[in-house]
Amino acid sequence: MNGSVAGSETRGVSSETPYLSHSRVNRYLHCPEQYRLYYVERLRPKVQDAALIFGQLVHEAIAHFFRKGVLPADSFANAWSVLHNEPLNYSQRDSWEILRAKAIALLTKFLEEEVPRLGNVTAIEKPFTLRITSLNLSLVGVIDLVAELDDVPTVIDFKTTTAAYQDHDVQLSDQLTAYQLAEPEAQQVALCVFVRTKEPRIDWHLSARQPAHLAEYLAKADLVGRAITAGHYYKRPGKWCGYCDYLPVCLGDQQQVDETLVQVTTRS
């Protein structure tokens, strides 16, 4: 998804806590204080990001297609129509109508050009929980698709974005490394990227994981897991603070906090 979608990664996964996931590890490495505000304080924006919802609904449309055979463009259009009058944060270039048109174009292109390359689908949005002796916490996640891509068993993650990915994005993807741990029989990992440019694009980026890559990721996850367990949270200031939902908290602007954030009681 656009950026990392934390909530989607643990859909259907055991509610056992604490645990690790790619999203948790990634958020902690990005900023430990942001991790605390999101996962410990459970603060969320009152108005959700439209691009985030867009990505979630594209995921759901693809999953619904592989499960039920429903045309993904139709699934998306039906779900998106419910949001027509809902308050969402749109970028300057986007609107409800623009995102609807882009999703339909991308999902139609996916159905016509990419689905024929896929076969022997063995898992759709498959949750996993790994208990690895080298980790002090369980590692959980949800794999978008396990299938044969051009006859090669592949773990596939779908992304929606406004800019094309580079090859190193898949070579260094911790998310795909975690998925390879859960699906060791897969011969390759792949990002299927839906690019929301003027002309819709769907790019594939393929890679493979060797034992050294898996060991490296587990060592990193273990370090993060131990820091989380110990409650080691601190601010990591940088340019990214300018677009962080939690900037008002870090600045002590309580009025802005009250206006923009809400504490949730259920996992999201």
Side-chain angles (χ1 to χ4, degrees):
M1 294 293 166
N2 202 15
S4 294
V5 181
S8 65
E9 190 170 75
T10 52
R11 285 194 303 270
V13 175
S14 167
S15 59
E16 176 190 359
T17 56
Y19 58 83
L20 293 175
S21 67
H22 161 69
S23 292
R24 288 185 173 225
V25 171
N26 193 49
R27 192 179 291 269
Y28 185 89
L29 291 171
H30 179 69
C31 177
E33 177 65 358
Q34 187 190 86
Y35 177 98
R36 186 186 72 82
L37 295 169
Y38 189 93
Y39 288 109
V40 180
E41 299 299 330
R42 309 181 71 82
L43 294 174
R44 302 288 189 276
K46 289 183 176 178
V47 180
Q48 297 190 70
D49 183 74
L52 182 65
I53 303 300
F54 172 92
Q56 291 174 345
L57 294 184
V58 167
H59 263 74
E60 291 176 8
I62 293 171
H64 201 45
F65 166 73
F66 284 110
R67 287 195 181 106
K68 303 290 185 181
V70 179
L71 294 178
D74 290 349
S75 291
F76 179 91
N78 289 336
W80 193 246
S81 65
V82 176
L83 302 172
H84 195 189
N85 296 314
E86 293 294 320
L88 295 175
N89 278 328
Y90 292 91
S91 71
Q92 291 184 341
R93 296 181 178 179
D94 286 335
S95 67
W96 184 88
E97 291 80 6
I98 289 173
L99 289 181
R100 181 183 184 277
K102 287 183 176 179
I104 290 174
L106 284 166
L107 289 167
T108 300
K109 187 178 183 68
F110 174 72
L111 183 65
E112 294 175 349
E113 300 178 10
E114 308 305 335
V115 167
R117 301 176 60 188
L118 298 169
N120 193 26
V121 175
T122 57
I124 305 159
E125 292 196 333
K126 179 183 180 181
F128 67 84
T129 299
L130 300 177
R131 291 179 173 81
I132 300 171
T133 55
S134 61
L135 291 180
N136 67 331
L137 297 172
S138 296
L139 180 66
V140 309
V142 177
I143 298 173
D144 286 346
L145 195 71
V146 182
E148 290 184 354
L149 173 64
D150 298 329
D151 299 322
V152 179
T154 306
V155 173
I156 299 167
D157 190 63
F158 296 106
K159 301 289 186 187
T160 60
T161 180
T162 56
Y165 278 48
Q166 303 298 313
D167 285 341
H168 69 261
D169 290 319
V170 66
Q171 294 172 16
L172 298 177
S173 169
D174 283 342
Q175 187 174 21
L176 291 178
T177 304
Y179 294 173
Q180 180 75 77
L181 284 166
E183 291 290 331
E185 302 302 321
Q187 295 180 19
Q188 63 182 1
V189 293
L191 293 180
C192 181
V193 184
F194 290 57
V195 188
R196 292 193 286 114
T197 44
K198 186 176 181 180
E199 293 297 325
R201 288 176 49 191
I202 299 177
D203 298 335
W204 286 93
H205 298 274
L206 308 179
S207 185
R209 292 296 184 271
Q210 304 303 321
H213 300 132
L214 305 181
E216 181 182 33
Y217 176 72
L218 288 174
K220 178 163 59 177
D222 184 55
L223 287 172
V224 172
R226 293 180 186 281
I228 291 171
T229 302
H232 291 165
Y233 304 118
Y234 49 89
K235 300 180 180 69
R236 182 171 169 265
K239 293 293 186 184
W240 45 86
C241 294
Y243 51 83
C244 179
D245 294 325
Y246 304 111
L247 180 59
V249 180
C250 294
L251 294 178
D253 186 343
Q254 190 58 47
Q255 180 178 347
Q256 188 72 7
V257 170
D258 294 339
E259 291 176 358
T260 61
L261 298 174
V262 62
Q263 191 170 39
V264 299
T265 56
T266 57
R267 188 170 61 186
S268 63

